[in-house]
Amino acid sequence: MKKSFPTLCFFLFAFSSLHSQFSYWVTDPQTWWGTPNATIEEALFTFEPKGAYTEVGMYLVFSAGEYTQVFDPAADLEVNYFFELPEKAMVTDSWLWVEEDIIRAKILDRWLASTIYENIVNRRRDPSLLIKQSATQYSLQIYPLPNGSSRKVKITALIPNEWTETEVFTSLAPEFVAYSPKVPALRLQVINPPGEEEPILASHPEATFRKVDDPEGRMVYETVLRPEEIKEGNPIVLSTSPQWKSGVYMANFGNAEGGFYELGVLPATFFERETSVAAKKIMVLLQYNNNGPIDLPYADYLAAIEQALLKHLRPEDEFNIIPAGLAPRTVFGDWKYADEENIKEAIALLNSSTISSINLPGLIGAGVEAMKGESEKGLIVLFANSIAEGEPETANALLAEIDRLWEGTEPVPFFIADYTYPGNFPRYYLEPNVFYGNAYFYTNLARQTGGDWLEPDCCNRSFTQQCQAIFEHALDERIAMDLFTTLDTGFTFNRFELQGARGGTYNSRKPVFQYGRYVGHPPFTVEVAAFSGNQLYFNTINPE
């Protein structure tokens, strides 16, 4: 790479219908022959919590790796990197290292930037091009990559967090580096964690952070994931402390002439719990079978379920677990509160005895017997990958038997997470429908109990994501609510909320974050109105 070449780096937003995926490769743009996978030589991800979002910096070093021999030794190659971010994420900048210089991207119109990029590639200069292809999909192109050398980039994005009463979770896909022919060790740094507390890697609880020196004087904790710990489909989940003050989070940026504010409200804090977010009794039924093409080690199966329980259940909820087997029974003799200690104890008990792949009818029957009389606050979450009950005649007989087990009491809803590998599906034709695997049985079991069924491989979910999704479905309790934010001397405008309302209602178990602009002087005043349990509630909040 010659220093005399001018340098350009472009960053822009645009929309198209590109199919979402993670992929990265190298090519010679002068010949367009051969597109082997690009290698990620080094990877560092930084996390800096900022309320409802975390600012994530992704430092990546690309090379042609073992495929250098595919190209002319003197060729200037191009890196193509396709990646995904959550729908509400926001990329804020992109940087390209050119020898010792770091060049920041400019935001340009898509077509203008693309034209300039292609012209520069033809002239063998130094651009990179980052395009937002859809609501979740991005592409990055880097040129030139001298054959046998490497190029370094940084992408900065704001990733939406998931807040609970006790934790804040930030998730990042492992596929950012997992598709490299040689997966690098992944350095993770957390900058200025809330409360200056040591963060936790919820997805890798064995990982430990250490404090490291920072030239800017910030508090920085670091841990390193080994290549074998980075697995496709298992998100990297960071856990930090929420900054609630009496159920409210408030931050503002600006002055009296104008600024922006961020408000977080935990609905359950302000209304009577028995009518707005009543404690639940959750029975978890577990079937496990790792035979066939699906690769789901037993330890990963339990870790994903434990993570989902810790994330979605509240300490005042009660739970129990029944593993499949010849004579299924609960791991605890009685209901336990869903605090961290009890959840971890339940998973530890399962570690000592393998969960069977047999007797799904017996497992369901045991769950029904345990939940009789709990229709007002009870629910059953079933994890299964059986295909033996899907034939309609067999399924109908089993459904009738399950209905009889309730003995005239109101059934408890079943929420079913089916994780059967698609290649295992037998097909059953009931015109005009086609049912795969246990789809007919699960569809009707969910329907007759008022629950839900998440079909396998929906939206390319991993098992970890399937666990999170089924608990979010099961514990979604709707409340009609409105937030009005103002100032004692001033006003707010351009308000919007991060947790989108569904039919004017919100999930009362999840925080609601509102963003807006303001003119005037804090403090802020927040008026909360809600309708739940046939009652109206009003509250006024004065965040500190």
Side-chain angles (χ1 to χ4, degrees):
M1 188 187 312
K2 296 182 180 180
K3 190 73 173 180
S4 59
F5 287 151
T7 60
L8 290 172
C9 182
F10 301 101
F11 163 74
L12 57 142
F13 285 89
F15 292 87
S16 76
S17 58
L18 180 71
H19 179 65
S20 63
Q21 60 184 340
F22 278 88
S23 59
Y24 21 105
W25 67 89
V26 291
T27 189
D28 184 346
Q30 306 303 319
T31 63
W32 295 103
W33 180 85
T35 56
N37 290 341
T39 294
I40 298 177
E41 299 287 349
E42 300 176 24
L44 164 65
F45 290 171
T46 63
F47 297 79
E48 186 169 4
K50 295 181 180 291
Y53 285 84
T54 289
E55 183 175 271
V56 178
M58 294 170 277
Y59 298 78
L60 301 169
V61 177
F62 293 95
S63 78
E66 62 188 63
Y67 297 106
T68 56
Q69 72 277 6
V70 173
F71 303 100
D72 186 320
D76 283 335
L77 308 178
E78 181 182 57
V79 177
N80 293 268
Y81 184 60
F82 285 80
F83 63 95
E84 288 183 310
L85 292 172
E87 186 171 351
K88 293 177 181 178
M90 294 176 282
V91 173
T92 57
D93 64 34
S94 173
W95 299 76
L96 174 68
W97 272 253
V98 181
E99 295 186 356
E100 301 302 319
D101 299 323
I102 306 174
I103 310 299
R104 187 176 185 178
K106 296 179 181 178
I107 301 177
L108 299 173
D109 171 79
R110 174 193 177 108
W111 306 115
L112 173 61
S114 297
T115 300
I116 296 173
Y117 176 84
E118 295 300 333
N119 287 337
I120 292 174
V121 168
N122 290 334
R123 296 175 186 173
R124 297 175 179 261
R125 297 178 184 172
D126 291 281
S128 73
L129 180 68
L130 176 59
I131 300 176
K132 185 172 184 179
Q133 300 281 5
S134 72
T136 60
Q137 184 70 37
Y138 300 77
S139 66
L140 174 68
Q141 294 168 272
I142 309 162
Y143 180 89
L145 169 65
N147 199 3
S149 186
S150 61
R151 296 302 300 268
K152 182 177 181 179
V153 298
K154 177 193 176 186
I155 303 166
T156 308
L158 291 173
I159 306 296
N161 295 328
E162 182 166 352
W163 283 52
T164 70
E165 283 190 72
T166 57
E167 291 183 275
V168 178
F169 297 97
T170 308
S171 298
L172 207 61
E175 287 78 11
F176 277 102
V177 297
Y179 288 163
S180 174
K182 181 185 72 174
V183 178
L186 177 57
R187 292 171 57 208
L188 302 174
Q189 291 185 348
V190 182
I191 302 169
N192 295 327
E196 299 186 348
E197 297 175 1
E198 183 175 333
I200 297 170
L201 209 55
S203 55
H204 300 75
E206 70 285 352
T208 57
F209 284 84
R210 63 183 183 90
K211 193 180 295 186
V212 297
D213 293 333
D214 180 68
E216 299 180 29
R218 302 169 300 180
M219 181 165 290
V220 178
Y221 289 92
E222 180 176 288
T223 190
V224 178
L225 294 183
R226 300 186 304 274
E228 60 270 21
E229 295 177 302
I230 303 168
K231 299 179 180 179
E232 297 175 23
N234 292 328
I236 298 165
V237 182
L238 176 73
S239 172
T240 53
S241 299
Q243 300 302 291
W244 295 120
K245 292 184 178 180
S246 301
V248 179
Y249 169 83
M250 189 82 200
N252 63 281
F253 315 91
N255 52 42
E257 283 73 40
F260 299 85
Y261 74 88
E262 179 181 74
L263 167 72
V265 173
L266 196 59
T269 304
F270 302 103
F271 311 111
E272 295 179 24
R273 197 171 297 279
E274 64 270 17
T275 57
S276 64
V277 59
K280 291 288 188 181
K281 281 191 173 180
I282 300 103
M283 181 62 71
V284 182
L285 309 182
L286 301 180
Q287 181 195 43
Y288 175 74
N289 182 358
N290 196 30
N291 295 329
I294 188 169
D295 182 19
L296 181 61
Y298 186 66
D300 292 351
Y301 172 85
L302 288 181
I305 292 170
E306 179 184 63
Q307 185 179 325
L309 290 169
L310 289 169
K311 185 173 182 179
H312 293 283
L313 271 58
R314 299 163 55 92
E316 58 266 35
D317 292 329
E318 296 177 88
F319 83 108
N320 213 327
I321 298 176
I322 303 178
L326 287 173
R329 61 179 182 271
T330 57
V331 296
F332 294 130
D334 203 352
W335 293 98
K336 294 279 189 178
Y337 285 111
D339 56 35
E340 182 177 359
E341 182 180 353
N342 287 334
I343 290 173
K344 288 184 177 294
E345 181 184 352
I347 298 299
L349 290 171
L350 293 169
N351 273 322
S352 63
S353 60
T354 302
I355 303 169
S356 176
S357 63
I358 64 171
N359 197 14
L360 180 60
L363 176 64
I364 293 173
V368 170
E369 291 295 333
M371 295 301 292
K372 283 183 178 179
E374 302 291 352
S375 59
E376 289 188 7
K377 57 182 178 179
L379 58 93
I380 295 173
V381 179
L382 168 65
F383 293 91
N385 66 345
S386 175
I387 58 174
E389 296 77 23
E391 193 277 322
E393 185 174 346
T394 301
N396 287 335
L398 182 54
L399 290 165
E401 184 62 30
I402 293 170
D403 192 49
R404 282 193 292 271
L405 287 176
W406 291 111
E407 295 180 348
T409 64
E410 189 72 20
V412 167
F414 269 80
F415 293 87
I416 306 154
D418 184 357
Y419 62 99
T420 313
Y421 185 79
N424 291 343
F425 291 166
R427 301 182 182 184
Y428 304 102
Y429 296 89
L430 274 72
E431 294 294 341
N433 300 313
V434 180
F435 295 93
Y436 298 85
N438 266 16
Y440 178 85
F441 172 59
Y442 292 148
T443 298
N444 286 284
L445 177 59
R447 183 177 297 160
Q448 75 179 26
T449 60
D452 199 3
W453 165 57
L454 293 186
E455 59 184 298
D457 204 39
C458 171
C459 314
N460 297 313
R461 287 194 192 102
S462 67
F463 180 73
T464 299
Q465 293 166 328
Q466 190 86 327
C467 289
Q468 300 293 342
I470 195 63
F471 277 104
E472 190 152 320
H473 278 270
L475 297 170
D476 187 348
E477 299 178 20
R478 310 311 294 183
I479 183 172
M481 188 176 72
D482 183 53
L483 298 175
F484 179 76
T485 308
T486 187
L487 294 87
D488 290 348
T489 55
F491 65 95
T492 65
F493 59 104
N494 285 359
R495 294 181 294 270
F496 70 94
E497 284 148 15
L498 187 59
Q499 186 199 142
R502 190 181 74 196
T505 64
Y506 296 86
N507 185 347
S508 61
R509 285 181 167 244
K510 296 181 65 176
V512 177
F513 276 87
Q514 183 183 92
Y515 297 86
R517 300 176 65 185
Y518 72 90
V519 173
H521 297 275
F524 290 83
T525 297
V526 183
E527 295 179 1
V528 185
F531 179 77
S532 176
N534 295 320
Q535 295 187 45
L536 287 170
Y537 298 91
F538 299 94
N539 209 323
T540 299
I541 309 165
N542 296 109
E544 297 180 5

